[in-house]
Amino acid sequence: MSIDKETARKVAHLARIEVKEEALEPLAGALSNILDFMEQLNEVDIEGVEPMTSVTPMALKKRKDVVTDGGYPEKILSNAPDAREGFFAVPKVVE
């Protein structure tokens, strides 16, 4: 598929990107190359290939879900600039 100068101008307008007149022709060429590459990717046979989430197979490390004695809220809140009723107090940001 080939993109012409007018289509490149329209794409730039829709993307709200200011493109100078002399840059429209190279932009049209770059967009055409992208579309050609996408068409080339559509020709690849991917039958039986499972989608990947990573290029290396690995499992995330997980910590054990165990009950502990908890944190130490008094020690933690002692460093807070403003703590009320066992919680960090922050300024109101929404009216």
Side-chain angles (χ1 to χ4, degrees):
M1 183 172 189
S2 180
I3 302 288
D4 62 347
K5 192 174 176 179
E6 286 306 311
T7 306
R9 178 181 284 119
K10 184 176 180 179
V11 169
H13 174 73
L14 291 173
R16 304 293 190 255
I17 299 171
E18 182 180 352
V19 179
K20 295 182 180 181
E21 189 67 30
E22 61 271 7
L24 284 173
E25 199 65 45
L27 177 63
L31 291 173
S32 292
N33 288 341
I34 292 170
L35 291 177
D36 289 341
F37 182 69
M38 290 173 64
E39 287 178 10
Q40 200 175 17
L41 287 176
N42 284 332
E43 296 172 6
V44 176
D45 180 25
I46 57 169
E47 189 67 35
V49 178
E50 292 187 34
M52 295 176 20
T53 57
S54 175
V55 293
T56 58
M58 57 191 259
L60 293 176
K61 296 178 183 176
K62 298 178 183 168
R63 65 175 172 83
K64 294 187 184 242
D65 188 14
V66 296
V67 177
T68 63
D69 64 344
Y72 301 94
E74 305 83 25
K75 288 182 182 178
I76 294 171
L77 291 174
S78 67
N79 292 324
D82 188 8
R84 298 182 200 152
E85 300 175 19
F87 297 98
F88 291 99
V90 295
K92 184 177 179 179
V93 294
V94 178
E95 293 191 32

